[in-house]
Amino acid sequence: MEAVRKPRVSLYTLGCKVNQYETRETAAELLRMGYQVVPFGQPADVCVVNTCSVTDQADSSSRNALRRARRSGDDPLVVATGCYVETAPSEVAALPGVETIVPNAEKARLADIVDETLRRSGRLLFPLPDSGGAASTDDGLVQLSAGGSLDRTRAVIKIQDGCNHFCSFCIIPFTRGRLRSRPAGEVLAEARQLASQGYRELVLTGICLGDYGDEKGWPASERDPLALLLEALADIPGVERLRMSSIDPADTTQDLLDTMARLPQVCRHLHLSMQAGDEEVLARMRRRYTAAAFEDLVRRVYVAMPDAGLTCDVIVGFPGETDEQFEETRRMCAAAAFCKIHAFPYSPRSGTGAARWADDVPHAEKERRVRRLRELSDRLGLEFAQRWVGETVTVLVEQRDRTTGQWTGLTGNYCRVAFDGPDNLRGRLVPVLIHSAGSDGAAGVLLEDAVGTGASNSREVVRTGGG
């Protein structure tokens, strides 16, 4: 008699941390429903692709992922969801093998819809023979351990969805809808559950994170609702780190900065969606801040948190951007001392205001500007990492580097650190003495008193407590 196995599902995510969060939640629910989550590309009964549509390249990558899902072994059913489904539903429906399309508004039911799709297919009417394949594992997109349980390093919590700000280059408000914040009680309950499961770091994410609690009907307060949420999360036993994902500079209040500086659990790291550093380009982008306001924000960040790590997103080659305007963006990035710059060439999105303008910066010039910013990012990253040489920093241990075999992980202020250590460190916060630096981070030595103990050091940098 053949052994009967669990139904197998693979998941693939493109785009933002919100998509990653939603895929992770779906994976967790499917595990609870008795599914086996397998790496994307391996034989599966059903494949879920959470698509992105932030650029034309994202559309193309989404189509490629849906085609790859269809080509996975055992002729899987393909379930498509995400923003590309919203912007091009007929294109998605025309792709071979796409069985079910799930709008963003239905993502809360994604696991149930996956199960319904598989059951409706009739495949579960017959026993699923055990092929002797590997158990659930880490596919690099949904973090899973070999035993099928979710990895305990860090967890993402979505606290809001939607966006009320229609930047001229962005399609997301059309695909995600208006601002909707999760009640604080729901967020805190989820955080307590994750902390009880052993997660050391919680990452707050959303489409427009800084707008949390800003919609009509939210309880009125003189305080920033996001700052109040951080305070409540920091009171939860077991929460050792709180990190925020990308935030709009216009929504980064002084109350939020002061709260970050005051709470030891909050990582001294901000990822700012800068996009450009020239006043005219920012105005055409319909961003809600000026270059001068951005520079003032950076100054206030470093006053509140001198050891803060700042990272950013920048779009180059926006319609009409001149060499001089790009150089102004580059100058502002250097002045801000970002430890990492994520630079992207502009790509017009159908349906946005900017798509009506001539895409007049040649592709080769866009690539040149991207390279210039990446070169600057490497230099600034080296300078940031060099600041910690000779210091003891606290690292959340994530994984071993496939090339060197060393452990790697992040400090609270976003410095990646590599070091040697025993096999029982994954998911722990450990002290590391930094002895060298490079453009991609630092290297150090694990302090001996951390080996073999369950203790963790909540201070991020011994010198200041803020790294």
Side-chain angles (χ1 to χ4, degrees), residues 127-147:
L128 299 171
D130 189 354
S131 61
S136 304
T137 187
D138 181 347
D139 66 359
L141 297 162
V142 180
Q143 297 295 319
L144 298 168
S145 70

Side-chain angles (χ1 to χ4, degrees), residues 431-446:
V432 178
L433 176 62
I434 302 300
H435 59 60
S436 61
S439 61
D440 56 351
V445 177
L446 178 70

Side-chain angles (χ1 to χ4, degrees), residues 340-354:
K340 182 71 173 180
I341 302 169
H342 298 265
F344 306 94
Y346 168 75
S347 174
R349 299 298 300 124
S350 300
T352 63

Side-chain angles (χ1 to χ4, degrees), residues 247 249 269-277 289 294-295 297-299 301-302 308-314 328-343 373-385 387 413-414 439:
I247 190 167
H269 168 226
L270 283 171
H271 183 76
L272 300 171
S273 53
M274 173 183 168
Q275 310 306 6
Y289 50 89
F294 185 89
E295 289 184 306
L297 170 62
V298 170
R299 179 191 61 79
V301 169
Y302 287 135
L310 293 183
T311 54
C312 72
D313 291 327
V314 175
E328 187 60 20
T329 294
R330 187 175 178 277
R331 182 202 64 78
M332 186 180 291
C333 286
F338 292 118
C339 59
K340 182 71 173 180
I341 302 169
H342 298 265
L373 283 182
R374 289 176 180 168
E375 290 167 358
L376 176 62
S377 180
D378 287 343
R379 176 171 69 79
L380 295 176
L382 172 60
E383 292 174 0
F384 182 73
R387 293 174 60 185
N413 64 348
Y414 208 73
S439 61

Side-chain angles (χ1 to χ4, degrees), residues 10 32 96 106 162 171 197 202 218 231 237 242 257 269 316 322 324 360 377 408 423 433 441 449 454:
S10 65
R32 286 191 288 270
E106 293 293 313
I171 196 69
Q197 293 172 352
L202 304 181
W218 197 263
E231 290 179 348
L242 293 165
L257 298 181
H269 168 226
V316 303
T322 65
E324 293 76 15
D360 55 0
S377 180
T408 68
D423 290 335
L433 176 62
D449 59 1

